[in-house]
Amino acid sequence: MNQELYHVSANPHVRDKATTQSIMLDVIIALLPATAFGVFNFGISALLNIIVTVATCVIAEYVWQHFMHKKVTIGDFSAALTGLLLALNLPPQAPLWLGVIGGIFAIIVVKQLFGGLGQNFMNPALGARCFLLLSFAVPMTNFTYSQFDATTMATPLAMLKAGETVNWVDLFIGRTAGTIGETSALCLIIGGVYLIVKKIISPIIPCVYIGTFAVFVLLFGGHGFDVNFLLSELFAGGLMLGAFFMATDYVTSPITEKGKVVFGIILGILTGVFRIFGAGAEGVSYAIIFSNLLVPLIEKFTVPTAFGKGGKKNE
C-alpha cells in the first residue's frame, strides 16, 4: 500500500473559504434583479414594503438575541435575507404592518424559538407567508398589475385555474400581477444561475423540482401537451422563486445527492397536486413547507453507506 496517498490530519477534512455571511450575501445579490424589477414594476409601495420588512427582521433578531443574552448575529445577513424573501412574497400594495407582523413571526416564532439559524425546521420566510395568508387573506391576495396600471386583477394562476388563457411571454418577462418578487421569471432564473455558477446551491433540487412539476402538468393538467399552458404554469406564481431560493435553503433541504432528487420529486408532485386539484391556484409555499417536514425521513433512507460497512461478513 502506498503510504504517500494518505495524509493524516484532524477534522474537519473539507475546508472552504465560504462563510455564512458570504453565502447569505450571495443569495441577496442573486435576488437583486427580481427585487429591482419589482420596485420598477410596482413603484414606491413595493420599495417601502421591502425596506420595512427587512428592517423588521433585523431588529427582531437583534432584540431577541440581546434580551435572551445570546450572541447577536445580525451581521451574518441571515435575518436580512429572510426579510427580503418575505417582502418579495408580499403583494406590492400590502399595508406596511403586514410586513412587520410577518417579519416578527418569521424571526421569533419560526427561527429563534427553535434555536436560531440552523435549527429551524422550515424556511422562516415561507412560514411567515403562510401564516399571513391564513390570518390576513384579503390584503395578502390583493394584487395590482403595476404602478402604471393600478387596476386590481386576478393572478395568472387564478386565471389559468378558471380556464382562461395567459400569455407566457408576459409571465417570463414580468408584465403581470403577482407578489413583488415573483412576477419576472427571467430575473429569478438569472439569480438562480448566479447561485449555481457560484456553487452556492446545487442545480439538483431546482431542476428536479421544475422538471417533475412540468411532467405532472402535462399528465394531469387537463390540457394535454399544450405548450402555452405548460409554460404559463412554469413561469406564473412563485415556482421559480421557490425552486431557486427557498427549496434550496441549506437548513431545511437534504444534504445527500439522492435526498435532493427525492426532495425535488416530492416538491414537484405536491405543487402539481395543490395547483391542479387544490382549491387554491398556488401551492409552492405549502409544498415546500410540507416537504421540509419530510427532510429527516428522506435523509434517513438516502444517507450513503459508510466505507467498510454494508458488505457481507466473511465466514
Side-chain angles (χ1 to χ4, degrees):
M1 183 180 294
N2 188 352
Q3 298 296 329
E4 294 180 358
L5 295 177
Y6 295 90
H7 176 69
V8 179
S9 65
N11 64 326
H13 303 293
V14 178
R15 296 177 175 83
D16 195 287
K17 294 181 179 179
T19 62
T20 300
Q21 184 183 61
S22 66
I23 291 171
M24 298 297 170
L25 189 57
D26 270 326
V27 179
I28 290 173
I29 292 172
L31 284 168
L32 289 181
T35 303
F37 184 87
V39 173
F40 166 77
N41 199 29
F42 298 115
I44 189 66
S45 61
L47 178 60
L48 288 175
N49 264 301
I50 292 171
I51 293 173
V52 169
T53 307
V54 171
T56 297
C57 286
V58 173
I59 293 172
E61 181 149 295
Y62 173 82
V63 170
W64 174 270
Q65 291 177 333
H66 175 74
F67 285 101
M68 293 294 107
H69 305 291
K70 297 183 177 182
K71 180 182 178 182
V72 175
T73 59
I74 58 173
D76 64 12
F77 296 120
S78 62
L81 176 58
T82 295
L84 181 58
L85 283 171
L86 176 58
L88 296 182
N89 276 282
L90 295 177
Q93 303 297 331
L96 297 180
W97 56 262
L98 207 61
V100 173
I101 293 175
I104 293 173
F105 184 88
I107 296 299
I108 304 300
V109 178
V110 183
K111 184 180 178 182
Q112 293 299 334
L113 286 181
F114 285 92
L117 183 65
Q119 305 299 319
N120 48 286
F121 68 94
M122 71 172 69
N123 184 286
L126 274 184
R129 181 174 190 262
C130 291
F131 166 74
L132 293 175
L133 276 170
L134 294 173
S135 304
F136 310 100
V138 174
M140 281 294 292
T141 54
N142 182 29
F143 300 102
T144 56
Y145 186 81
S146 72
Q147 65 170 320
F148 310 107
D149 183 356
T151 304
T152 301
M153 63 179 293
T155 62
L157 286 176
M159 296 170 68
L160 289 169
K161 190 85 171 178
E164 300 179 37
T165 301
V166 179
N167 187 336
W168 69 266
V169 177
D170 287 340
L171 301 178
F172 183 71
I173 296 173
R175 298 192 296 256
T176 185
T179 65
I180 296 171
E182 74 179 15
T183 54
S184 176
L186 174 60
C187 291
L188 292 166
I189 292 172
I190 290 173
V193 171
Y194 171 84
L195 292 179
I196 292 172
V197 171
K198 291 277 289 185
K199 297 183 178 180
I200 301 299
I201 66 171
S202 165
I204 296 176
I205 291 176
C207 289
V208 174
Y209 182 5
I210 295 170
T212 301
F213 175 72
V215 172
F216 190 97
V217 170
L218 290 174
L219 294 177
F220 305 105
H223 290 257
F225 287 83
D226 185 339
V227 176
N228 183 75
F229 179 77
L230 172 61
L231 293 176
S232 296
E233 281 284 352
L234 289 176
F235 297 145
L239 181 62
M240 295 300 162
L241 180 60
F244 287 108
F245 294 97
M246 290 181 281
T248 56
D249 179 21
Y250 285 8
V251 179
T252 57
S253 63
I255 60 173
T256 63
E257 298 296 302
K258 291 181 180 178
K260 291 176 182 177
V261 173
V262 174
F263 187 66
I265 292 173
I266 294 174
L267 285 169
I269 293 174
L270 286 178
T271 302
V273 169
F274 290 146
R275 280 193 181 183
I276 304 300
F277 301 112
E282 181 60 283
V284 171
S285 298
Y286 296 110
I288 294 177
I289 286 180
F290 185 82
S291 298
N292 288 159
L293 301 177
L294 299 178
V295 168
L297 187 63
I298 292 172
E299 291 192 327
K300 178 180 179 181
F301 289 100
T302 59
V303 63
T305 303
F307 179 74
K309 294 185 178 181
K312 294 183 178 179
K313 294 182 179 180
N314 294 325
E315 298 296 336

